[in-house]
PDB file of all heavy atoms in Angstrom:
ATOM      1  N   GLY X1185     -18.909 -17.496  -4.700  1.00 81.00           N
ATOM      2  CA  GLY X1185     -18.941 -17.423  -3.240  1.00 81.00           C
ATOM      3  C   GLY X1185     -20.194 -18.048  -2.646  1.00 81.00           C
ATOM      4  O   GLY X1185     -20.124 -18.771  -1.662  1.00 81.00           O
ATOM      5  N   GLU X1187     -23.527 -20.432  -2.315  1.00 84.00           N
ATOM      6  CA  GLU X1187     -24.019 -21.737  -2.705  1.00 84.00           C
ATOM      7  C   GLU X1187     -25.421 -21.560  -3.293  1.00 84.00           C
ATOM      8  O   GLU X1187     -26.041 -20.509  -3.148  1.00 84.00           O
ATOM      9  CB  GLU X1187     -24.114 -22.683  -1.501  1.00 84.00           C
ATOM     10  CG  GLU X1187     -22.929 -22.666  -0.557  1.00 84.00           C
ATOM     11  CD  GLU X1187     -23.083 -21.658   0.570  1.00 84.00           C
ATOM     12  OE1 GLU X1187     -23.643 -20.569   0.294  1.00 84.00           O
ATOM     13  OE2 GLU X1187     -22.659 -21.928   1.689  1.00 84.00           O
ATOM     14  N   LYS X1197     -28.114 -23.028   6.535  1.00 85.00           N
ATOM     15  CA  LYS X1197     -28.111 -21.571   6.448  1.00 85.00           C
ATOM     16  C   LYS X1197     -29.405 -21.130   5.789  1.00 85.00           C
ATOM     17  O   LYS X1197     -30.038 -21.906   5.071  1.00 85.00           O
ATOM     18  CB  LYS X1197     -26.947 -21.097   5.574  1.00 85.00           C
ATOM     19  CG  LYS X1197     -25.580 -21.366   6.154  1.00 85.00           C
ATOM     20  CD  LYS X1197     -24.553 -20.521   5.456  1.00 85.00           C
ATOM     21  CE  LYS X1197     -23.489 -21.360   4.777  1.00 85.00           C
ATOM     22  NZ  LYS X1197     -22.448 -20.565   4.158  1.00 85.00           N
ATOM     23  N   ASP X1220     -19.503 -11.882   2.151  1.00 88.00           N
ATOM     24  CA  ASP X1220     -20.630 -12.755   1.839  1.00 88.00           C
ATOM     25  C   ASP X1220     -20.709 -13.828   2.913  1.00 88.00           C
ATOM     26  O   ASP X1220     -19.750 -14.079   3.632  1.00 88.00           O
ATOM     27  CB  ASP X1220     -20.460 -13.377   0.445  1.00 88.00           C
ATOM     28  CG  ASP X1220     -19.234 -14.259   0.334  1.00 88.00           C
ATOM     29  OD1 ASP X1220     -19.171 -15.252   1.078  1.00 88.00           O
ATOM     30  OD2 ASP X1220     -18.349 -13.964  -0.490  1.00 88.00           O
ATOM     31  N   ASP X1221     -21.890 -14.420   3.020  1.00 88.00           N
ATOM     32  CA  ASP X1221     -22.020 -15.510   3.983  1.00 88.00           C
ATOM     33  C   ASP X1221     -22.115 -16.826   3.225  1.00 88.00           C
ATOM     34  O   ASP X1221     -22.898 -17.693   3.535  1.00 88.00           O
ATOM     35  CB  ASP X1221     -23.223 -15.295   4.917  1.00 88.00           C
ATOM     36  CG  ASP X1221     -24.540 -15.309   4.164  1.00 88.00           C
ATOM     37  OD1 ASP X1221     -24.508 -15.251   2.917  1.00 88.00           O
ATOM     38  OD2 ASP X1221     -25.593 -15.388   4.814  1.00 88.00           O
ATOM     39  N   GLY X1222     -21.287 -16.922   2.202  1.00 84.00           N
ATOM     40  CA  GLY X1222     -21.324 -18.099   1.345  1.00 84.00           C
ATOM     41  C   GLY X1222     -20.444 -19.222   1.848  1.00 84.00           C
ATOM     42  O   GLY X1222     -20.225 -19.374   3.047  1.00 84.00           O
ATOM     43  N   ALA X1223     -19.920 -19.962   0.891  1.00 83.00           N
ATOM     44  CA  ALA X1223     -19.209 -21.193   1.244  1.00 83.00           C
ATOM     45  C   ALA X1223     -17.820 -20.938   1.798  1.00 83.00           C
ATOM     46  O   ALA X1223     -17.218 -21.815   2.404  1.00 83.00           O
ATOM     47  CB  ALA X1223     -19.116 -22.092   0.022  1.00 83.00           C
ATOM     48  N   GLY X1224     -17.299 -19.740   1.558  1.00 82.00           N
ATOM     49  CA  GLY X1224     -15.948 -19.468   2.022  1.00 82.00           C
ATOM     50  C   GLY X1224     -14.917 -20.109   1.116  1.00 82.00           C
ATOM     51  O   GLY X1224     -15.258 -20.841   0.187  1.00 82.00           O
ATOM     52  N   ILE X1225     -13.678 -19.812   1.396  1.00 82.00           N
ATOM     53  CA  ILE X1225     -12.606 -20.356   0.582  1.00 82.00           C
ATOM     54  C   ILE X1225     -11.973 -21.508   1.343  1.00 82.00           C
ATOM     55  O   ILE X1225     -11.654 -21.379   2.522  1.00 82.00           O
ATOM     56  CB  ILE X1225     -11.555 -19.273   0.273  1.00 82.00           C
ATOM     57  CG1 ILE X1225     -12.214 -18.132  -0.494  1.00 82.00           C
ATOM     58  CG2 ILE X1225     -10.398 -19.857  -0.511  1.00 82.00           C
ATOM     59  CD1 ILE X1225     -11.327 -16.941  -0.709  1.00 82.00           C
ATOM     60  N   ASP X1226     -11.802 -22.607   0.658  1.00 82.00           N
ATOM     61  CA  ASP X1226     -11.187 -23.759   1.300  1.00 82.00           C
ATOM     62  C   ASP X1226      -9.679 -23.681   1.111  1.00 82.00           C
ATOM     63  O   ASP X1226      -9.179 -23.857   0.003  1.00 82.00           O
ATOM     64  CB  ASP X1226     -11.747 -25.035   0.665  1.00 82.00           C
ATOM     65  CG  ASP X1226     -11.223 -26.273   1.369  1.00 82.00           C
ATOM     66  OD1 ASP X1226     -10.312 -26.119   2.214  1.00 82.00           O
ATOM     67  OD2 ASP X1226     -11.716 -27.365   1.080  1.00 82.00           O
ATOM     68  N   PRO X1227      -8.948 -23.411   2.188  1.00 82.00           N
ATOM     69  CA  PRO X1227      -7.505 -23.254   2.028  1.00 82.00           C
ATOM     70  C   PRO X1227      -6.844 -24.512   1.460  1.00 82.00           C
ATOM     71  O   PRO X1227      -5.858 -24.421   0.731  1.00 82.00           O
ATOM     72  CB  PRO X1227      -6.998 -22.952   3.442  1.00 82.00           C
ATOM     73  CG  PRO X1227      -8.144 -23.057   4.344  1.00 82.00           C
ATOM     74  CD  PRO X1227      -9.393 -23.219   3.565  1.00 82.00           C
ATOM     75  N   GLU X1250      -3.124 -20.616   7.410  1.00 78.00           N
ATOM     76  CA  GLU X1250      -4.303 -20.701   6.552  1.00 78.00           C
ATOM     77  C   GLU X1250      -4.613 -19.366   5.913  1.00 78.00           C
ATOM     78  O   GLU X1250      -5.012 -19.281   4.769  1.00 78.00           O
ATOM     79  CB  GLU X1250      -5.505 -21.168   7.378  1.00 78.00           C
ATOM     80  CG  GLU X1250      -5.454 -22.642   7.671  1.00 78.00           C
ATOM     81  CD  GLU X1250      -6.819 -23.188   8.046  1.00 78.00           C
ATOM     82  OE1 GLU X1250      -7.749 -22.380   8.187  1.00 78.00           O
ATOM     83  OE2 GLU X1250      -6.926 -24.409   8.178  1.00 78.00           O
ATOM     84  N   LYS X1251      -4.398 -18.325   6.685  1.00 77.00           N
ATOM     85  CA  LYS X1251      -4.691 -17.001   6.168  1.00 77.00           C
ATOM     86  C   LYS X1251      -3.793 -16.673   4.975  1.00 77.00           C
ATOM     87  O   LYS X1251      -4.241 -16.129   3.972  1.00 77.00           O
ATOM     88  CB  LYS X1251      -4.496 -15.974   7.286  1.00 77.00           C
ATOM     89  CG  LYS X1251      -5.453 -14.844   7.145  1.00 77.00           C
ATOM     90  CD  LYS X1251      -5.383 -13.848   8.251  1.00 77.00           C
ATOM     91  CE  LYS X1251      -6.048 -12.596   7.713  1.00 77.00           C
ATOM     92  NZ  LYS X1251      -5.899 -11.443   8.496  1.00 77.00           N
ATOM     93  N   THR X1254      -4.940 -18.534   1.960  1.00 81.00           N
ATOM     94  CA  THR X1254      -6.093 -17.883   1.342  1.00 81.00           C
ATOM     95  C   THR X1254      -5.651 -16.688   0.511  1.00 81.00           C
ATOM     96  O   THR X1254      -6.156 -16.437  -0.570  1.00 81.00           O
ATOM     97  CB  THR X1254      -7.081 -17.420   2.424  1.00 81.00           C
ATOM     98  OG1 THR X1254      -7.313 -18.511   3.308  1.00 81.00           O
ATOM     99  CG2 THR X1254      -8.380 -16.975   1.819  1.00 81.00           C
ATOM    100  N   SER X1272     -13.538 -23.533  -5.008  1.00 32.00           N
ATOM    101  CA  SER X1272     -14.681 -22.960  -4.314  1.00 32.00           C
ATOM    102  C   SER X1272     -14.222 -21.628  -3.777  1.00 32.00           C
ATOM    103  O   SER X1272     -13.238 -21.538  -3.068  1.00 32.00           O
ATOM    104  CB  SER X1272     -15.106 -23.861  -3.175  1.00 32.00           C
ATOM    105  OG  SER X1272     -14.547 -23.423  -1.986  1.00 32.00           O
ATOM    106  N   GLY X1273     -14.912 -20.631  -4.166  1.00 37.00           N
ATOM    107  CA  GLY X1273     -14.435 -19.322  -3.757  1.00 37.00           C
ATOM    108  C   GLY X1273     -14.066 -18.536  -4.987  1.00 37.00           C
ATOM    109  O   GLY X1273     -14.921 -18.270  -5.797  1.00 37.00           O
ATOM    110  N   ARG X1274     -12.834 -18.217  -5.121  1.00 42.00           N
ATOM    111  CA  ARG X1274     -12.485 -17.248  -6.140  1.00 42.00           C
ATOM    112  C   ARG X1274     -11.556 -17.810  -7.189  1.00 42.00           C
ATOM    113  O   ARG X1274     -10.689 -18.611  -6.901  1.00 42.00           O
ATOM    114  CB  ARG X1274     -11.815 -16.033  -5.498  1.00 42.00           C
ATOM    115  CG  ARG X1274     -12.543 -15.538  -4.290  1.00 42.00           C
ATOM    116  CD  ARG X1274     -13.894 -14.984  -4.692  1.00 42.00           C
ATOM    117  NE  ARG X1274     -14.490 -14.265  -3.588  1.00 42.00           N
ATOM    118  CZ  ARG X1274     -15.522 -14.709  -2.911  1.00 42.00           C
ATOM    119  NH1 ARG X1274     -16.054 -15.859  -3.201  1.00 42.00           N
ATOM    120  NH2 ARG X1274     -16.018 -14.000  -1.938  1.00 42.00           N
ATOM    121  N   VAL X1294      -7.832 -10.526   2.036  1.00 85.00           N
ATOM    122  CA  VAL X1294      -8.978 -11.423   2.066  1.00 85.00           C
ATOM    123  C   VAL X1294      -8.923 -12.263   3.329  1.00 85.00           C
ATOM    124  O   VAL X1294      -7.855 -12.613   3.826  1.00 85.00           O
ATOM    125  CB  VAL X1294      -9.005 -12.316   0.802  1.00 85.00           C
ATOM    126  CG1 VAL X1294      -7.771 -13.187   0.722  1.00 85.00           C
ATOM    127  CG2 VAL X1294     -10.259 -13.181   0.785  1.00 85.00           C
ATOM    128  N   GLU X1295     -10.098 -12.525   3.846  1.00 85.00           N
ATOM    129  CA  GLU X1295     -10.191 -13.368   5.023  1.00 85.00           C
ATOM    130  C   GLU X1295     -11.401 -14.266   4.801  1.00 85.00           C
ATOM    131  O   GLU X1295     -12.427 -13.815   4.305  1.00 85.00           O
ATOM    132  CB  GLU X1295     -10.408 -12.516   6.267  1.00 85.00           C
ATOM    133  CG  GLU X1295      -9.501 -12.927   7.394  1.00 85.00           C
ATOM    134  CD  GLU X1295      -9.624 -11.992   8.575  1.00 85.00           C
ATOM    135  OE1 GLU X1295      -9.496 -10.766   8.373  1.00 85.00           O
ATOM    136  OE2 GLU X1295      -9.857 -12.483   9.667  1.00 85.00           O
ATOM    137  N   SER X1296     -11.257 -15.517   5.132  1.00 84.00           N
ATOM    138  CA  SER X1296     -12.364 -16.412   4.828  1.00 84.00           C
ATOM    139  C   SER X1296     -12.446 -17.516   5.857  1.00 84.00           C
ATOM    140  O   SER X1296     -11.429 -18.005   6.340  1.00 84.00           O
ATOM    141  CB  SER X1296     -12.153 -17.010   3.442  1.00 84.00           C
ATOM    142  OG  SER X1296     -13.196 -17.916   3.173  1.00 84.00           O
ATOM    143  N   VAL X1297     -13.650 -17.867   6.185  1.00 84.00           N
ATOM    144  CA  VAL X1297     -13.860 -19.020   7.046  1.00 84.00           C
ATOM    145  C   VAL X1297     -14.657 -20.014   6.229  1.00 84.00           C
ATOM    146  O   VAL X1297     -15.723 -19.697   5.721  1.00 84.00           O
ATOM    147  CB  VAL X1297     -14.640 -18.635   8.317  1.00 84.00           C
ATOM    148  CG1 VAL X1297     -14.888 -19.884   9.161  1.00 84.00           C
ATOM    149  CG2 VAL X1297     -13.887 -17.596   9.105  1.00 84.00           C
ATOM    150  N   LYS X1298     -14.099 -21.194   6.097  1.00 81.00           N
ATOM    151  CA  LYS X1298     -14.742 -22.189   5.258  1.00 81.00           C
ATOM    152  C   LYS X1298     -16.137 -22.469   5.801  1.00 81.00           C
ATOM    153  O   LYS X1298     -16.315 -22.745   6.982  1.00 81.00           O
ATOM    154  CB  LYS X1298     -13.903 -23.464   5.242  1.00 81.00           C
ATOM    155  CG  LYS X1298     -14.270 -24.373   4.102  1.00 81.00           C
ATOM    156  CD  LYS X1298     -13.584 -25.719   4.221  1.00 81.00           C
ATOM    157  CE  LYS X1298     -14.346 -26.737   3.409  1.00 81.00           C
ATOM    158  NZ  LYS X1298     -13.948 -28.078   3.742  1.00 81.00           N
ATOM    159  N   GLY X1299     -17.106 -22.369   4.893  1.00 81.00           N
ATOM    160  CA  GLY X1299     -18.475 -22.653   5.283  1.00 81.00           C
ATOM    161  C   GLY X1299     -19.217 -21.439   5.814  1.00 81.00           C
ATOM    162  O   GLY X1299     -20.429 -21.424   5.852  1.00 81.00           O
ATOM    163  N   ALA X1300     -18.483 -20.415   6.216  1.00 83.00           N
ATOM    164  CA  ALA X1300     -19.152 -19.271   6.841  1.00 83.00           C
ATOM    165  C   ALA X1300     -19.117 -18.015   5.982  1.00 83.00           C
ATOM    166  O   ALA X1300     -19.938 -17.127   6.159  1.00 83.00           O
ATOM    167  CB  ALA X1300     -18.540 -18.968   8.200  1.00 83.00           C
ATOM    168  N   GLY X1301     -18.171 -17.931   5.085  1.00 86.00           N
ATOM    169  CA  GLY X1301     -18.156 -16.765   4.227  1.00 86.00           C
ATOM    170  C   GLY X1301     -16.774 -16.187   4.013  1.00 86.00           C
ATOM    171  O   GLY X1301     -15.783 -16.690   4.534  1.00 86.00           O
ATOM    172  N   THR X1302     -16.750 -15.126   3.238  1.00 88.00           N
ATOM    173  CA  THR X1302     -15.497 -14.508   2.845  1.00 88.00           C
ATOM    174  C   THR X1302     -15.624 -13.000   2.986  1.00 88.00           C
ATOM    175  O   THR X1302     -16.676 -12.449   2.698  1.00 88.00           O
ATOM    176  CB  THR X1302     -15.199 -14.844   1.370  1.00 88.00           C
ATOM    177  OG1 THR X1302     -15.271 -16.247   1.201  1.00 88.00           O
ATOM    178  CG2 THR X1302     -13.816 -14.360   0.972  1.00 88.00           C
ATOM    179  N   VAL X1303     -14.564 -12.367   3.427  1.00 90.00           N
ATOM    180  CA  VAL X1303     -14.537 -10.909   3.478  1.00 90.00           C
ATOM    181  C   VAL X1303     -13.321 -10.429   2.711  1.00 90.00           C
ATOM    182  O   VAL X1303     -12.202 -10.822   3.011  1.00 90.00           O
ATOM    183  CB  VAL X1303     -14.439 -10.387   4.928  1.00 90.00           C
ATOM    184  CG1 VAL X1303     -14.441  -8.867   4.928  1.00 90.00           C
ATOM    185  CG2 VAL X1303     -15.567 -10.923   5.769  1.00 90.00           C
ATOM    186  N   VAL X1304     -13.566  -9.628   1.695  1.00 89.00           N
ATOM    187  CA  VAL X1304     -12.448  -8.982   1.008  1.00 89.00           C
ATOM    188  C   VAL X1304     -12.454  -7.535   1.453  1.00 89.00           C
ATOM    189  O   VAL X1304     -13.472  -6.856   1.344  1.00 89.00           O
ATOM    190  CB  VAL X1304     -12.598  -9.062  -0.526  1.00 89.00           C
ATOM    191  CG1 VAL X1304     -11.452  -8.341  -1.208  1.00 89.00           C
ATOM    192  CG2 VAL X1304     -12.666 -10.501  -0.984  1.00 89.00           C
TER     193      VAL X1304
END
Side-chain angles (χ1 to χ4, degrees):
Chain X
E1187 316 91 323
K1197 294 197 240 183
D1220 62 61
D1221 64 348
I1225 300 173
D1226 184 351
E1250 284 200 354
K1251 213 176 161 191
T1254 311
S1272 96
R1274 314 293 191 251
V1294 62
E1295 227 174 308
S1296 178
V1297 178
K1298 197 189 159 194
T1302 307
V1303 181
V1304 178

